[in-house]
Amino acid sequence: MATKKKSNTLKLKFDTAWPYAPAPESRSAAQIKDRYELFINGEWQAPLSKKYFGTINPATEEKLSEVAMANAADVDKAVKAARNAYEKTWRKISAKERAKYIFRIARIIQEKARELAIIETLDGGKPIRESRDFDVPTAANHFFYYAGWADKLEYAFLNKKAEPLGVAGQIIPWNFPLLMAAWKIAPALATGNTVVLKPAETTPLTALKLAEIIQEADLPPGVVNILTGAGETGAAIVNHPDINKIAFTGSTDVGKIIQRAVAGTNKRVTLELGGKAANIIFEDAPLDQAVEGVINGIFFNQGHVCCAGSRLYVQESVAKQVIRKLKDRMESLIVGDPLDKNTDIGAINSKQQLATINKYLQIGRSEGAEMYESACKLPNKGFWCRPTIFTNVAQSNRIAQEEIFGPVLSILTFRTDDEVIEKANNSPYGLSAGVWTDKGSKIFNMTKRMRAGVIWANTFNKFDPTSPFGGYKESGFGREGGLHGLLPYVELKNI
Ligand code: ADP
């Protein structure tokens, strides 16, 4: 309690001595229609379901637009369009031509970067700084990168011929809506497949904007189809008999449903699922840098990141010092209007996700962990959660084992390398991890023995289109990004 009081005082001092003037991004550059239809065969088509649903701004609860709810008949229509485009045009045109189309998409994303960033922030609640500086440029970079591979597949797979699979069904989550669409669409197109993509129900708008971009890039009709809808729409894509490949990013629970649904079929599948990343600070680490990395690792995008560093392991000798530094830094984080360029932490994506996070805050307290949240004021409307840490956490606690998907960090301590490796690996997940130490040899020792798809050393949450991403264990299988990201979309033949 004493520490909390001290930090409250600190917060007041920051507030009164160094207030930032509001710097909101204007909404005027964002053109959002009142209603969106389905993007099938290069056209906007009213849904056969005749149903629509609203999408709101989670920071204000105001309705932004309404979008079509695709049913199984709509999915069938989109798959037919994708199959037709695959057979008649996309697999036939030269790889060089395919590359030009993908390159064009990347360029138009860059041209519309500001609008896309504003819409991403409005629809999903993430700070404009992130959508402007990370989501949108990285999405464009993925298209650029895979445009580069399209006509060089013989160098990617030496002595093999890479053939496309056919129609790819792609289902994506709400945490990086445009970026996830880019991760999925770019490698599929580069390898000659056609696409039926479904964005998440709470964040459909940038995928629909991407459909406009695809129209503007003049892609042959049916090469990319974008269907909005909820879980049932996703299930209809997964179960459609004429789909050759499913790419899914989302929860482990839905991933398991999908894996069961495709078992016994000849559909290829890649799953990118949950995570509970261990971020490990050794006593020899540059502590201020490590604390900054931990803050970025868990509070970036409100912790709505499958590879979020949500378990912090601190070496016992520096634990007190690190926790104090963390608490002080948390007090200076700005929580609020996601459109404000100073905001560090925006809105929680949905009411439902906020309820899940609050449930875990309750679980953490009842498990006996000590909770500390920053003293910031929260807006009256919308869905918000203060940056929160738990100390005195046991390895067996649910808050140390289960994915919370919010700005909530569980802190544990360790004494030796062997102990922390054992603890870090003691998780059903294995998507990512972080190591903070001054010693290169320790980094190699840790990265060799930890079971996680991505391990960052003295940094966190760094992404690049050239670098593969994906998990171990219940975090899924298959890799996205880099050369590896081409593999799930091709059949390799010996030549
Ligand atoms: P999250 O917890 O991140 O929302 P979900 O796994 O619930 O993750 O959702 C990720 C995506 O999967 C969304 O686009 C959602 O509509 C879709 N989805 C949900 N249920 C199913 C299902 N049974 N089959 C296919 N897709 C689904």
Side-chain angles (χ1 to χ4, degrees):
M1 278 317 274
T3 337
K4 180 149 193 172
K5 248 190 207 143
K6 192 170 150 208
S7 289
N8 275 342
T9 326
L10 190 73
K11 171 75 180 153
L12 281 176
K13 216 166 78 190
F14 271 122
D15 273 354
T16 47
W18 305 102
Y20 282 95
E25 174 62 87
S26 156
R27 281 181 62 156
S28 60
Q31 292 198 359
I32 303 176
K33 291 189 209 148
D34 291 340
R35 174 183 268 199
Y36 285 91
E37 310 292 356
L38 302 171
F39 185 66
I40 300 177
N41 209 26
E43 293 168 353
W44 295 96
Q45 303 196 15
L48 297 168
S49 71
K50 298 195 167 53
K51 289 191 186 143
Y52 295 83
F53 63 99
T55 182
I56 64 164
N57 176 349
T60 59
E61 298 174 58
E62 110 199 72
K63 184 172 164 182
L64 294 168
S65 178
E66 62 178 22
V67 303
M69 172 74 84
N71 66 11
D74 293 304
V75 169
D76 187 50
K77 216 166 132 186
V79 173
K80 283 200 171 104
R83 172 64 56 194
N84 193 42
Y86 174 70
E87 300 292 350
K88 303 225 167 99
T89 53
W90 201 241
R91 69 182 299 187
K92 290 192 176 157
I93 63 172
S94 72
K96 215 165 157 186
E97 280 305 303
R98 280 206 309 268
K100 281 190 207 162
Y101 283 112
I102 305 168
F103 191 77
R104 215 179 283 163
I105 296 173
R107 290 296 303 269
I108 304 177
I109 291 178
Q110 283 188 321
E111 279 164 23
K112 296 185 189 289
R114 181 153 176 234
E115 181 182 19
L116 287 165
I118 296 169
I119 296 178
E120 199 72 303
T121 284
L122 286 171
D123 205 20
K126 69 174 63 195
I128 186 75
R129 222 173 47 209
E130 278 169 21
S131 40
R132 182 195 63 193
D133 298 347
F134 176 70
D135 293 61
V136 176
T138 317
N141 285 347
H142 270 267
F143 281 104
F144 278 127
Y145 176 73
Y146 282 109
W149 271 125
D151 61 351
K152 299 175 196 70
L153 295 179
E154 73 243 51
Y155 303 105
F157 306 108
L158 293 176
N159 301 322
K160 308 262 182 205
K161 181 164 169 37
E163 294 197 336
L165 301 175
V167 178
Q170 307 183 321
I171 299 163
I172 56 172
W174 42 260
N175 55 347
F176 294 95
L178 181 70
L179 182 57
M180 288 297 115
W183 275 29
K184 300 270 180 291
I185 295 174
L189 296 187
T191 45
N193 299 275
T194 57
V195 166
V196 175
L197 175 122
K198 189 194 90 64
E201 47 273 47
T202 57
T203 52
L205 294 182
T206 45
L208 294 164
K209 279 278 152 188
L210 184 60
E212 290 177 0
I213 289 170
I214 283 165
Q215 230 176 359
E216 198 178 324
D218 214 15
L219 252 76
V223 171
V224 176
N225 304 274
I226 295 185
L227 301 181
T228 42
E232 280 173 24
T233 315
I237 294 175
V238 170
N239 293 314
H240 196 288
D242 200 29
I243 281 196
N244 304 96
K245 191 227 149 50
I246 295 292
F248 172 79
T249 299
S251 62
T252 296
D253 287 346
V254 174
K256 287 179 181 173
I257 295 174
I258 292 178
Q259 205 172 358
R260 277 194 289 271
V262 300
T265 70
N266 55 10
K267 283 178 194 148
R268 295 266 202 98
V269 63
T270 40
L271 303 173
E272 200 262 276
L273 309 175
K276 191 76 186 174
N279 210 351
I280 301 169
I281 303 183
F282 285 96
E283 61 189 359
D284 58 19
L287 295 186
D288 289 318
Q289 191 184 324
V291 164
E292 208 48 45
V294 169
I295 293 275
N296 168 30
I298 185 62
F299 299 136
F300 170 59
N301 201 24
Q302 298 69 250
H304 296 337
V305 187
C306 18
C307 53
S310 52
R311 282 186 294 161
L312 173 63
Y313 290 95
V314 196
Q315 199 152 21
E316 214 170 77
S317 50
V318 289
K320 252 196 186 152
Q321 203 183 343
V322 166
I323 292 167
R324 187 183 41 78
K325 282 176 185 285
L326 266 174
K327 287 179 175 173
D328 284 351
R329 181 66 179 93
M330 281 164 68
E331 293 303 334
S332 67
L333 292 173
I334 300 173
V335 183
D337 180 7
L339 276 180
D340 193 309
K341 291 163 200 158
N342 295 319
T343 294
D344 297 304
I345 299 185
I348 299 301
N349 183 266
S350 66
K351 196 173 180 177
Q352 193 191 2
Q353 187 55 31
L354 181 58
T356 304
I357 296 169
N358 284 335
K359 182 188 83 183
Y360 276 105
L361 297 184
Q362 187 51 44
I363 289 171
R365 281 186 298 239
S366 62
E367 283 178 322
E370 206 171 298
M371 183 173 120
Y372 176 90
E373 48 179 11
S374 82
C376 63
K377 266 208 222 126
L378 298 181
N380 295 328
K381 282 208 117 182
F383 315 126
W384 305 95
C385 179
R386 293 188 176 86
T388 304
I389 59 176
F390 279 107
T391 48
N392 290 335
V393 178
Q395 180 72 23
S396 58
N397 287 166
R398 286 181 67 187
I399 53 166
Q401 290 288 331
E402 297 174 18
E403 187 178 41
I404 301 173
F405 225 63
V408 182
L409 176 69
S410 299
I411 304 179
L412 300 96
T413 57
F414 70 95
R415 289 185 185 165
T416 66
D417 296 16
D418 287 344
E419 179 192 350
V420 76
I421 289 171
E422 180 110 0
K423 284 179 164 171
N425 284 339
N426 177 0
S427 162
Y429 296 112
L431 191 57
S432 63
V435 183
W436 299 85
T437 170
D438 204 23
K439 283 207 165 51
S441 57
K442 208 177 259 178
I443 292 172
F444 287 120
N445 182 30
M446 300 298 291
T447 49
K448 261 204 285 194
R449 293 168 64 196
M450 282 204 298
R451 303 198 62 217
V454 182
I455 304 176
W456 288 289
N458 293 328
T459 187
F460 209 86
N461 271 343
K462 286 281 183 290
F463 297 91
D464 190 282
T466 63
S467 173
F469 183 85
Y472 278 52
K473 300 190 268 186
E474 289 192 23
S475 292
F477 47 81
R479 295 289 179 266
E480 292 181 299
L483 180 63
H484 304 63
L486 295 165
L487 202 51
Y489 289 96
V490 295
E491 188 81 66
L492 292 181
K493 290 199 171 156
N494 288 322
I495 44 172

